[in-house]
């Protein structure tokens, strides 16, 4: 024990069994500590590949419809076909994930998406690119995503000790943020160099690789499954999220997300009408927002040390500052810095809500609860984006000013709907050492 403490003070990875990497010069556990666990590394890479391929496919589908004479409505329906299944089936998918082996469910979902992506690739290779065919197969891939999403979220806590759950969730957000930045860009390069059909072939290959990775992964022993009917399981999950503390956390998340979504919804208008930027300038603004989201991982350990409630309040403050800056400033560099801050605040706030929910849910109910958060986030993003588009008719600066005021409301909501306190860290560490010995 003395040796371990001395090594941690020197900032090295502990040499004793079970040690985890620490930050240089302090006893603080590294932000990247979850990567010390093989299961987390495997699923991190798997999700990164799956997300990048999915976003490439969405970009390719939209271009395939546009390139073959589809209407603007049909092009816009690609997003609907992608995300509508998630909103419609997400909670039922979470109920299913709590009743069956989650690893096998993920294998089935990824295999279904791989087959759908293969069918889409074959259709484009043979020239059968009718918009309805592309939309139908995109919808099929969306069905697999809808069932897989809550299952991925429910698996995270079983991959690392409970004291690392927050960092694992924050790092897992990188799989989407990196894919969001890289996926469409890669799709554009592939379309220009090889053609749209290669986009779907690459996605089919990537999804097939995720199936192989999941088959090779040694999953943790599954918890006992519910013995009641599917309908009773669904009702039990709904009852759980409608009572404290999950109701409080969901309410805080929704109040927080409404003003936060204004940044993503109105960035195109901000770039064009207020800053006078072209397409490349718009891309840079998106990149700064994504960079802020990715950078949030590096400060998560400090946020976690103060608690999720403090983190959500700090995120609301960051967003308020960023929104006020975007409302009053017309200098692209300064506005870009504001978007960097907003990306950090948005990701930190969302992560705090997800971590708080994971801390207070029983394992048997985990997928259903996380499905509620996935569905809620998707619904709020879709509805709020439309609302901010309406508000922006009065001017994008006015819309950002209104959003800043709502961020203040989000900050005040902490008194009415406080986040639950996390469990005692020392107790967590004792349980983790027993539960995850030899897992790395």
């Amino acid at each position: 024990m003395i040796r371990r403490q001395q090594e941690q003070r020197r900032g090295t990875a502990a040499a004793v069994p079970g040690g985890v990497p620490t930050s240089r010069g302090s006893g603080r556990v590294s932000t990247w500590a979850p990567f010390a666990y093989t299961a987390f590394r495997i699923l991190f890479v798997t999700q990164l590949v799956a997300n990048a391929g999915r976003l490439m496919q969405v970009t390719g589908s939209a271009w395939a419809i546009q390139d073959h004479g589809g209407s603007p409505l049909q092009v816009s329906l690609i997003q609907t076909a992608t995300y509508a299944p998630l909103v419609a089936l997400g909670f039922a998918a979470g109920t299913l994930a709590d009743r069956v082996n989650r690893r096998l469910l993920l294998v089935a979902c990824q295999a279904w998406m791989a087959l759908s992506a293969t069918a889409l690739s074959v259709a484009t290779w043979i020239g059968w690119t009718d918009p309805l065919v592309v939309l139908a197969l995109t919808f099929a891939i969306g069905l697999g995503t809808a069932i897989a999403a809550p299952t991925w979220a429910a698996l995270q806590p079983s991959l690392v000790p409970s004291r690392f759950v927050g960092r694992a969730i924050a790092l897992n957000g990188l799989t989407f943020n990196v894919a969001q930045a890289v996926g469409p860009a890669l799709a554009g390069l592939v379309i220009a160099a090889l053609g749209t059909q290669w986009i779907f072939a690459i996605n089919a290959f990537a999804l097939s690789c995720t199936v192989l990775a999941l088959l090779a992964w040694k999953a943790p022993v599954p918890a006992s499954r519910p013995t009641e009917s599917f309908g009773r399981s669904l009702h039990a999950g709904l009852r759980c999220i409608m009572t404290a503390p999950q109701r409080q956390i969901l309410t805080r998340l929704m109040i927080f997300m409404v003003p936060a979504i204004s940044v993503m919804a109105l960035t195109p208008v901000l770039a064009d009408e207020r800053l006078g930027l072209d397409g490349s300038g718009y891309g840079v603004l998106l990149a700064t927002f994504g960079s802020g989201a990715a950078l949030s991982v590096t400060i998560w350990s400090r946020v976690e040390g103060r608690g999720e409630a403090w983190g959500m309040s700090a995120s609301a403050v960051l967003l308020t500052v960023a929104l006020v800056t975007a409302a009053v400033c017309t200098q692209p560099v300064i506005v870009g810095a504001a978007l960097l801050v907003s990306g950090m605040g948005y990701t930190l706030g969302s992560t705090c809500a997800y971590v708080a929910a994971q801390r207070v849910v029983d394992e048997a109910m985990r997928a259903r609860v996380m499905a509620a958060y996935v569905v809620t986030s998707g619904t709020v993003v879709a509805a709020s984006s439309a609302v901010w588009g309406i508000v922006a008719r009065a001017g994008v600066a006015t819309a950002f000013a209104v959003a800043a005021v709502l961020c203040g409301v989000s900050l005040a909501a902490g008194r009415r709907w406080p986040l639950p306190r996390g469990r005692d860290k020392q107790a967590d560490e004792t349980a983790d050492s027993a539960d995850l010995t030899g897992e790395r």
Side-chain angles (χ1 to χ4, degrees):
M1 177 61 71
I2 295 175
R3 179 185 175 188
R4 182 177 180 180
Q5 292 174 343
Q6 290 173 340
E7 289 173 340
Q8 287 182 338
R9 283 195 296 268
R10 287 198 301 269
T12 62
V16 296
V20 295
T22 60
S23 301
R24 183 174 298 277
S26 71
R28 184 186 299 276
V29 178
S30 170
T31 298
W32 315 103
F35 283 116
Y37 298 86
T38 303
F40 180 83
R41 292 197 301 270
I42 291 174
L43 263 72
F44 179 91
V45 174
T46 300
Q47 289 187 79
L48 179 60
V49 171
N51 283 334
R54 178 175 60 85
L55 289 165
M56 288 180 68
Q57 177 264 318
V58 171
T59 303
S61 295
W63 181 254
I65 291 178
Q66 177 68 32
D67 196 39
H68 289 82
S71 68
L73 174 61
Q74 290 172 326
V75 173
S76 66
L77 284 176
I78 286 294
Q79 295 294 330
T80 303
T82 300
Y83 292 104
L86 182 62
V87 175
L89 301 176
F91 194 76
T95 304
L96 180 64
D98 278 335
R99 297 178 59 84
V100 301
N101 185 297
R102 291 169 183 164
R103 171 177 168 271
L104 295 180
L105 181 59
L106 276 179
V107 169
C109 289
Q110 299 301 115
W112 167 263
M113 288 189 285
L115 288 173
S116 300
T118 300
L120 185 56
S121 176
V122 171
T124 55
W125 276 105
I126 64 177
W128 196 24
T129 52
D130 182 85
L132 293 181
V133 173
V134 176
L135 283 169
L137 291 173
T138 299
F139 182 81
I141 296 173
L143 287 175
T145 303
I147 299 175
T151 312
W152 285 117
L155 277 173
Q156 289 170 351
S158 65
L159 305 179
V160 297
S162 59
R163 65 187 183 278
F164 296 150
V165 166
R167 297 169 203 201
I169 293 175
L171 287 169
N172 188 66
L174 280 178
T175 65
F176 179 77
N177 292 323
V178 172
Q180 191 174 39
V182 173
L186 286 177
L189 293 175
V190 173
I191 290 172
L194 301 172
T196 309
Q197 64 271 22
W198 280 96
I199 294 288
F200 306 130
I202 291 172
N203 186 39
F205 176 75
L207 288 168
S208 300
C209 290
T210 67
V211 173
L212 296 177
L214 288 167
L215 288 173
W217 170 48
K218 184 179 179 182
V221 178
S224 58
R225 302 301 175 191
T227 57
E228 72 268 23
S229 66
F230 184 89
R232 288 184 178 274
S233 294
L234 186 69
H235 183 265
L238 290 171
R239 187 170 61 249
C240 175
I241 65 173
M242 293 303 293
T243 56
Q246 296 300 340
R247 184 187 68 238
Q248 297 170 209
I249 305 171
L250 269 174
T251 302
R252 285 290 304 281
L253 178 62
M254 288 188 289
I255 294 173
F256 172 81
M257 286 188 68
V258 169
I261 293 302
S262 65
V263 180
M264 291 183 289
L266 299 179
T267 296
V269 184
L270 174 69
D272 181 32
E273 296 183 3
R274 188 164 175 80
L275 302 180
L277 300 177
D278 56 12
S280 60
Y282 168 58
V284 170
L285 288 183
L286 289 180
T288 57
F289 182 88
S291 298
L295 287 173
S296 66
V297 176
T298 63
I299 63 172
W300 172 254
S301 59
R302 297 182 181 276
V303 173
E304 187 180 44
R306 295 175 177 267
E308 289 82 34
W310 182 91
M312 284 207 78
S313 297
S315 298
V317 172
L318 288 175
L319 276 169
T320 302
V321 172
L323 288 166
V324 170
T325 302
V328 302
C329 183
T330 57
Q331 294 295 323
V333 173
I334 298 177
V335 173
L339 291 186
L340 182 79
V341 172
S342 67
M344 187 178 297
Y346 174 76
T347 305
L348 282 177
S350 301
T351 301
C352 285
Y354 272 73
V355 171
Q358 292 272 25
R359 289 192 192 280
V360 294
V361 65
D362 293 333
E363 176 61 28
M365 192 71 69
R366 191 177 301 279
R368 279 166 282 184
V369 168
M370 296 318 298
Y373 284 81
V374 171
V375 172
T376 298
S377 297
T379 304
V380 171
V381 168
S384 297
S385 296
V387 171
W388 285 119
I390 295 172
V391 175
R393 292 178 179 176
V396 68
T398 301
F400 281 139
V402 173
V405 172
L406 291 180
C407 276
V409 174
S410 172
L411 190 61
R415 294 182 177 272
R416 178 65 178 84
W417 294 284
L419 295 184
R421 298 183 62 182
R423 294 179 299 176
D424 180 73
K425 290 186 177 182
Q426 185 174 359
D428 277 346
E429 292 177 4
T430 301
D432 293 337
S433 63
D435 294 340
L436 288 176
T437 299
E439 284 294 315
R440 293 194 298 158

